[in-house]
């Protein structure tokens, strides 16, 4: 069993981005918009700022109060869309209940949508002609590649069908010729389906959901979960202790998928700049 070091892989992605920016002498700006006082969101935003600094990307932070209206937020998005110094726009989710997330995402210029959540970018992923990929699935692909695992011809099972992870994850594995099954709460014989997987991606949001009887010997297991267990300790969707001995490769939580999401955001911001200078 080998543990996939997300910190090391993410560091190499950030170095790659930093070197390309320096080599080409690019000036790149990323706008990060945060509404309200969600603590987890604040931690993410701070980590994004640090990554920007490392890569040589200028970070523009807009911290708006909890009571911000949808109209005010859309106005700010339009301002960022028009600003030539801003190449990427990220609206930190979740948003307060008075704001419709879908409406906000649809107002971001697709060429600046570095989260790849806009319907235009989602459609491009579907047909395999994309400019950006959602950061978490793109990061997972980097982690799989880092192990030297060939996706082509492998049985790939994704647990979870969210628009942010599950669905795009399935498409990326499919683009590399994996045979993909997406499972969800209505899937029958879930354990049986999971046991077929050469590559298993757990993105279900339930602590310790994937147990050792659901994993085939020698599988590559990617744990996207970020949960707290009964002791309040950070843990994933996979029962790491019991599953790890069966795997050829497995990601830990923390230190697996998490760092990759921010590294791929840096990559997307660079791609956005290149797209806008074409």
């Amino acid at each position: 069993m080998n543990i996939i070091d997300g910190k090391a892989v993410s560091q190499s992605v950030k170095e790659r981005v930093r070197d390309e920016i320096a080599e080409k002498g690019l000036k790149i700006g990323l706008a990060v918009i945060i509404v309200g006082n969600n603590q987890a969101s604040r931690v993410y935003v701070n980590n994004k700022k640090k990554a920007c600094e490392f890569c040589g990307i200028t970070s523009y932070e807009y911290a708006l109060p909890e009571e911000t209206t949808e109209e005010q937020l859309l106005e700010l998005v339009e301002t960022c869309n028009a600003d030539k110094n801003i190449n990427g726009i990220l609206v930190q989710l979740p948003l307060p209940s008075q704001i419709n997330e879908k409406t906000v995402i649809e107002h971001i210029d697709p060429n600046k949508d570095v989260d790849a959540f806009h319907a235009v970018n989602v459609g491009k992923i579907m047909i395999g002609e994309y400019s950006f990929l959602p950061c978490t699935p793109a990061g997972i692909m980097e982690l799989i590649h880092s192990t030297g695992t060939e996706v082509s011809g492998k049985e790939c099972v994704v647990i979870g069908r969210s628009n942010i992870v599950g669905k795009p994850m399935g498409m990326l594995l499919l683009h590399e010729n994996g045979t993909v099954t997406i499972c969800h709460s209505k899937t029958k014989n879930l354990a049986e389906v999971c046991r077929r997987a050469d590559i298993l991606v757990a993105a279900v949001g339930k602590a310790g959901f994937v147990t050792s009887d659901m994993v085939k010997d020698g599988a590559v297991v990617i744990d996207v979960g970020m949960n707290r267990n009964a002791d309040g300790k950070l843990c994933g969707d996979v029962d790491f202790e019991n599953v790890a001995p069966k795997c050829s490769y497995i990601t830990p939580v923390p230190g697996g998928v998490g760092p990759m999401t921010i590294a791929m955001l840096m990559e997307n911001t660079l791609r956005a700049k290149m797209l806008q200078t074409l």
Side-chain angles (χ1 to χ4, degrees), residues 148-205:
T149 301
E150 184 79 42
V151 175
S152 185
K154 295 283 194 321
E155 284 267 3
C156 307
V157 173
V158 180
I159 315 173
R161 53 174 162 182
S162 73
N163 291 334
I164 293 172
V165 181
K167 288 179 191 169
M169 191 70 243
M171 290 313 302
L172 296 193
L173 290 163
L174 199 54
H175 289 324
E176 290 201 13
N177 302 316
T179 300
V180 182
T181 306
I182 296 181
C183 298
H184 43 78
S185 56
K186 300 282 188 287
T187 301
K188 290 189 167 70
N189 306 325
L190 179 67
E192 203 177 296
V193 177
C194 291
R195 274 195 296 276
R196 294 204 305 258
D198 302 304
I199 298 169
L200 178 65
V201 179
V204 75

Side-chain angles (χ1 to χ4, degrees), residues 22-272:
E23 200 182 297
K24 294 179 174 162
L26 300 170
K27 282 189 165 45
I28 305 181
L30 172 67
V32 179
I33 302 169
I34 178 170
V35 186
N37 313 309
N38 182 308
Q39 278 313 107
S41 292
R42 173 42 63 200
V43 171
Y44 276 128
V45 168
N46 289 348
N47 287 340
K48 284 166 187 169
K49 272 161 83 172
K50 277 184 212 151
C52 281
E53 211 172 300
F54 177 85
C55 294
I57 293 170
T58 305
S59 172
Y60 300 92
E61 187 190 304
Y62 299 91
L64 307 179
E66 187 78 33
E67 60 277 8
T68 300
T69 65
E70 188 175 298
E71 203 178 338
Q72 287 168 323
L73 180 53
L74 293 177
E75 215 168 282
L76 174 57
V77 168
E78 293 298 351
T79 304
C80 292
N81 280 342
D83 189 335
K84 294 278 186 285
N85 295 317
I86 290 174
N87 305 104
I89 301 168
L90 181 143
V91 178
Q92 184 65 46
L93 304 178
L95 290 166
S97 56
Q98 74 273 18
I99 300 172
N100 183 317
E101 289 181 359
K102 194 165 173 256
T103 307
V104 174
I105 289 164
E106 291 306 308
H107 270 76
I108 297 171
D109 175 347
N111 286 336
K112 293 189 177 187
D113 165 40
V114 285
D115 261 335
F117 291 164
H118 191 288
V120 166
N121 289 324
V122 173
K124 285 179 168 180
I125 292 160
M126 196 74 187
I127 58 172
E129 292 173 13
Y130 41 80
S131 320
F132 316 115
L133 294 169
C135 300
T136 302
I140 291 168
M141 293 309 286
E142 287 275 343
L143 291 174
I144 294 170
H145 296 152
S146 78
T147 67
T149 301
E150 184 79 42
V151 175
S152 185
K154 295 283 194 321
E155 284 267 3
C156 307
V157 173
V158 180
I159 315 173
R161 53 174 162 182
S162 73
N163 291 334
I164 293 172
V165 181
K167 288 179 191 169
M169 191 70 243
M171 290 313 302
L172 296 193
L173 290 163
L174 199 54
H175 289 324
E176 290 201 13
N177 302 316
T179 300
V180 182
T181 306
I182 296 181
C183 298
H184 43 78
S185 56
K186 300 282 188 287
T187 301
K188 290 189 167 70
N189 306 325
L190 179 67
E192 203 177 296
V193 177
C194 291
R195 274 195 296 276
R196 294 204 305 258
D198 302 304
I199 298 169
L200 178 65
V201 179
V204 75
K206 288 182 183 167
F209 181 81
V210 175
T211 50
S212 65
D213 64 323
M214 295 166 74
V215 179
K216 167 179 168 176
D217 282 332
V220 174
V221 174
I222 307 286
D223 190 348
V224 188
M226 282 291 261
N227 316 296
R228 299 264 172 204
N229 64 14
D231 308 326
K233 200 167 158 252
L234 203 59
C235 66
D237 289 348
V238 176
D239 172 10
F240 185 87
E241 220 167 284
N242 295 309
V243 170
K246 296 185 82 171
C247 304
S248 58
Y249 291 94
I250 187 168
T251 59
V253 176
V257 173
M260 293 306 298
T261 301
I262 291 174
M264 301 321 287
L265 173 67
M266 298 300 107
E267 172 105 39
N268 280 355
T269 307
L270 169 59
R271 295 289 151 254

